[in-house]
Structures are given as structure tokens and as C-alpha cells.
Amino acid sequence: MSPTKTPRIHNRQMANNAYLLSSLRKGPVVVQWIVAHASPEVYDTKTDPERFSFREAVAHLADWEPILQARAKQIKENPGSIIVGYDEGQRAIDENYAAVDPAEAVKRWAESRDESIEYFKTEAPGFWDSVARHSERGDISLYDLANMEVAHDMYHIEHLLEFLP
């Protein structure tokens, strides 16, 4: 290839690592900043009756990461299997999100996210292409799941920013 030509991206491995893994690292970093700048007075308030309180949202992010890790491994190790959906509202009650310390939760999330990133660093051919079927959303590849994590982070970051002055 001549030095003036840009290489074409032929697979997901090349496309992922520069942006996807970097973006996955950012979610906990941004939420740590938000938690550090939020007043404890807002922890148990809601900006919308249909959404989590500040405390519950941070607890959810910490609680959800191991679930996403398990789903990633399921997709890779058992392609074609069924991923069962969760009722997030019921899980918040069952796991007592309302009693979780946001600073501790975001620290736990960051540590768990590091484990996810290590898993996603795999460069084996076809790594990202395995597919399972989500009981509510249909087919989902490992690539889809990793990208969904970034979107999930942003959804909650946008919500948490509403609590800042």
C-alpha cells in the first residue's frame, strides 16, 4: 500500500479499539465528577417521577455492570442463547438502590467497568460477531452490547446532570 493511501477498516476489531474502549472508560469518570459536584441534598430527589433518583441512578450503573459482563460472556460463549430481560424498577427495590452511597457505588462501577474493558480488548477474529437473542430486544451481538453500554452511560449521565446547579 502506498504511504498516501488510508487503510480501509475491514473488521470490527480495528474500528472498535480507538473509540469504543475509550468511550467505555469515560462513563465512570464523568459520573465520578458529577457525584463529587452534586449536593447530598439532591441524592433522594427525582427530576421525573418515571426515572430514578440521583442515588438510585448511580446505584443502578454500579449494579448493572456485572449484568452486562455476564451478558457479554453469554453472547460469546453461547451464541444463539436467550438473554432474559430484567425489570429495572423491581431490581432497584430488590437491591435497595435507595440506601446506596453514590460515592461508593461509582467507585465500584469504575472497578467493574475496568474488568469489562479488559474483556472487550480481545482481538480474536470474529470476537465481536457472536449473537444471542434478548427476550425483549431481539438479536444482539457482542459488538451491539458494547456499544449499548456507551449509550446506557450517556442516558444516565444526561439524567444525572439535571441534578447539578
Side-chain angles (χ1 to χ4, degrees):
M1 174 181 349
S2 86
T4 58
K5 287 196 172 186
T6 304
R8 291 189 50 151
I9 296 174
H10 295 287
N11 60 42
R12 290 180 176 167
Q13 284 84 356
M14 291 176 69
N16 270 307
N17 290 334
Y19 302 112
L20 177 58
L21 298 180
S22 175
S23 296
L24 284 167
R25 283 185 190 89
K26 302 295 188 294
V29 172
V30 172
V31 174
Q32 283 174 328
W33 184 91
I34 294 169
V35 169
H37 289 85
S39 168
E41 295 172 359
V42 304
Y43 284 1
D44 298 311
T45 61
K46 292 186 173 192
T47 59
D48 179 328
E50 299 297 317
R51 296 194 70 182
F52 289 136
S53 69
F54 184 93
R55 179 186 310 275
E56 292 166 335
V58 178
H60 167 74
L61 288 164
D63 183 48
W64 209 246
E65 192 68 25
I67 292 168
L68 293 171
Q69 287 173 0
R71 287 177 173 182
K73 290 177 182 169
Q74 179 182 343
I75 292 168
K76 187 64 191 157
E77 295 167 10
N78 299 298
S81 62
I82 302 296
I83 296 173
V84 179
Y86 283 93
D87 178 337
E88 291 92 353
Q90 186 60 50
R91 185 159 178 94
I93 294 165
D94 294 345
E95 298 299 319
N96 199 17
Y97 288 2
V100 171
D101 173 34
E104 288 299 316
V106 75
K107 180 181 175 197
R108 190 167 29 99
W109 179 39
E111 291 167 357
S112 189
R113 176 57 64 88
D114 286 344
E115 294 172 18
S116 297
I117 291 167
E118 283 304 311
Y119 184 74
F120 287 139
K121 282 183 178 178
T122 300
E123 289 290 336
F127 176 79
W128 294 101
D129 299 328
S130 297
V131 175
R133 179 168 294 265
H134 191 283
S135 62
E136 299 165 346
R137 295 186 178 94
D139 288 349
I140 183 169
S141 70
L142 194 54
Y143 182 77
D144 296 333
L145 181 74
N147 280 281
M148 187 211 62
E149 284 193 54
V150 174
H152 182 252
D153 292 355
M154 291 308 300
Y155 173 79
H156 289 291
I157 287 168
E158 178 183 40
H159 176 228
L160 290 168
L161 285 169
E162 294 175 11
F163 293 92
L164 296 181

